[in-house]
Amino acid sequence: MTGTAAPFAADDYRARMERAARSAAEAGLAGLLVAPGPDLVWLTGYAPTAVTERLTLLVLAPAQDPVLVVPTLEAPDAAKAAGASALTLRDWTDGKDPYAATAALLDAGGRFGISDNAWAMHLLGLQKALPGTSYASLTEALPMLRAVKDTAELELLAAAGAAADATFEEIRKVPFGGRRESEVAADLAGLLRRFGHSQVDFTIVASGPNGANPHHEVGDRVIERGDMVVLDFGGLRHGYGSDTSRTVHVGEPTDEERRVHDLVRAAQEAGFRAVRPGVPCQEVDRAARAVIADAGYGEYFIHRTGHGIGVTTHEPPYMIEGEEQPLVPGMCFSVEPGVYLPGRFGVRIEDIVTVTEDGGRRLNDTTREMVIVD
């Protein structure tokens, strides 16, 4: 990810950093340490053009102003970030100890949340400088940090969803039969970019028996007439994610293929209908899974029902058994049940859904009926 996440102002980033520091205190942490990656972009608007072995770390603590420790040679770029005026830059030069500089900002006996993607060498360097400290991953300590989106974020996610919908409306017009999966995947990537995506994260085109693999790697299989084809694609548009799945058929389907597709569509609808404030995440999974299990296909639904989405295409919350986190207005996540019949075919239908004050709203509006392609 490069550049700023979205057109937010310094006050937006200041409010996010203040909220993150409060959340850390409420979780019993002395503060948060945020390395380059999606959390840093969300909190500050800063994404280094290249992540190297040099330490860059945002330090957030309830009783102090935010500080971004950054290499001197990268400080000019950091100062241009949209949220830079809401924090203090503390640069360090080559030959100096960045861990000593960072340690001066930390409680020597505190427990800190740290970015999941922080480099081990940096964590070990901090532990050596402050042996009395301890650490927990942000996903463990504050899994819902980015989960509830504000109005501007919801607008960006809706626009990304609309772009993915436009991509599907175009891809259904292209020839499938006789072409390689990789060729259709290239079409998907081109369409996502045409409709405003700056980053394409995945373009799954899983035809025939390949459709039974939910994360099939696109290959050179030639799509044949009579194939079911699972399409799963998404990426980032203006810094916010899209992710949608539809299953199309090349030519007329069999009765069984129609039956399985209708089953998955009913399961997806049941998962969506379960969305409302206060409902535990696992209830969305249970609602979708029950439809498939009751029809005798339970063993062929082999993944969770959904995942969160925001400045990344996969993030908390997760719609999975055992996740008791209640849904909150502003949360956004996928609802994507599937049935995967080994050696034969698969079906998945996926929308991004946001929680409203009284239910849920889909951010994808293309048909969930079976689409016949050439």
Side-chain angles (χ1 to χ4, degrees):
M1 180 186 299
T2 58
T4 55
F8 295 108
D11 285 346
D12 297 311
Y13 293 110
R14 180 180 290 107
R16 290 176 185 179
M17 288 188 281
E18 290 173 352
R19 175 156 64 91
R22 287 195 304 271
S23 297
E26 292 166 0
L29 299 171
L32 302 180
L33 307 177
V34 185
D39 291 313
L40 186 64
V41 173
W42 184 77
L43 286 163
T44 70
Y46 177 52
T49 54
V51 179
T52 71
E53 73 283 358
R54 293 184 174 95
L55 178 72
T56 295
L57 202 67
L58 175 67
V59 179
L60 297 177
Q64 65 188 49
D65 292 335
V67 176
L68 182 64
V69 178
V70 64
T72 299
L73 75 169
E74 296 174 14
D77 286 339
K80 296 175 185 176
S85 63
L87 51 79
T88 298
L89 287 178
R90 181 167 297 184
D91 65 313
W92 61 275
T93 58
D94 285 354
K96 302 295 185 180
D97 184 352
Y99 307 113
T102 307
L105 304 170
L106 307 182
D107 177 349
R111 180 169 178 79
F112 295 88
I114 189 166
S115 299
D116 295 27
N117 57 337
W119 287 21
M121 65 179 286
H122 297 322
L123 177 56
L124 294 170
L126 289 172
Q127 288 178 317
K128 184 176 180 180
L130 292 174
T133 55
S134 60
Y135 303 87
S137 74
L138 278 186
T139 293
E140 174 191 343
L142 294 175
M144 297 297 119
L145 180 63
R146 304 194 317 256
V148 179
K149 276 62 179 179
D150 62 26
T151 300
E153 290 181 294
L154 289 173
E155 290 175 355
L156 288 165
L157 283 162
D165 283 356
T167 294
F168 178 71
E169 294 296 354
E170 290 299 313
I171 201 68
R172 61 185 289 184
K173 300 173 186 176
V174 310
F176 278 70
R179 301 178 70 210
R180 299 184 187 279
E181 292 176 343
S182 56
E183 293 175 309
V184 178
D187 288 343
L188 279 170
L191 287 166
L192 285 169
R193 292 190 176 95
R194 187 210 294 181
F195 293 115
H197 282 64
S198 59
Q199 177 175 313
V200 177
D201 285 353
F202 46 88
T203 52
I204 294 173
V205 178
S207 62
N210 289 341
N213 177 0
H215 283 176
H216 169 64
E217 292 288 339
V218 167
D220 289 331
R221 183 183 187 276
V222 174
I223 302 169
E224 301 174 356
R225 188 165 187 82
D227 279 349
M228 282 279 220
V229 186
V230 179
L231 304 174
D232 184 352
F233 51 94
L236 299 182
R237 182 182 186 278
H238 295 313
Y240 279 75
S242 69
D243 184 3
T244 188
S245 299
R246 293 292 186 264
T247 303
V248 301
H249 197 278
V250 186
E252 285 299 317
T254 66
D255 289 345
E256 182 189 21
E257 287 170 333
R258 280 196 179 278
R259 185 170 63 252
V260 173
H261 190 280
D262 287 347
L263 173 64
V264 173
R265 182 165 55 86
Q268 207 270 348
E269 178 69 17
F272 170 69
R273 294 296 175 191
V275 174
R276 59 186 183 278
V279 169
C281 291
Q282 66 181 2
E283 292 301 327
V284 177
D285 182 86
R286 287 175 176 177
R289 198 168 299 277
V291 173
I292 291 173
D294 288 349
Y297 287 87
E299 66 182 293
Y300 303 112
F301 180 10
I302 57 177
H303 56 72
R304 65 196 174 201
T305 293
H307 58 81
I309 191 169
V311 294
T312 58
T313 48
H314 281 215
E315 61 186 45
Y318 299 105
M319 306 301 112
I320 189 171
E321 181 66 31
E323 178 53 79
E324 297 180 352
Q325 167 68 41
L327 298 179
V328 176
M331 284 182 174
C332 291
F333 47 85
S334 66
V335 179
E336 51 177 306
V339 168
Y340 309 93
L341 303 177
R344 301 183 62 208
F345 65 89
V347 177
R348 181 163 65 258
I349 300 173
E350 173 185 15
D351 294 326
I352 298 301
V353 173
T354 184
V355 184
T356 64
E357 294 297 330
D358 58 0
R361 175 169 68 95
R362 299 182 194 267
L363 301 188
N364 296 106
D365 294 320
T366 56
T367 182
R368 285 165 285 277
E369 302 283 347
M370 181 178 287
V371 169
I372 308 300
V373 296
D374 292 331

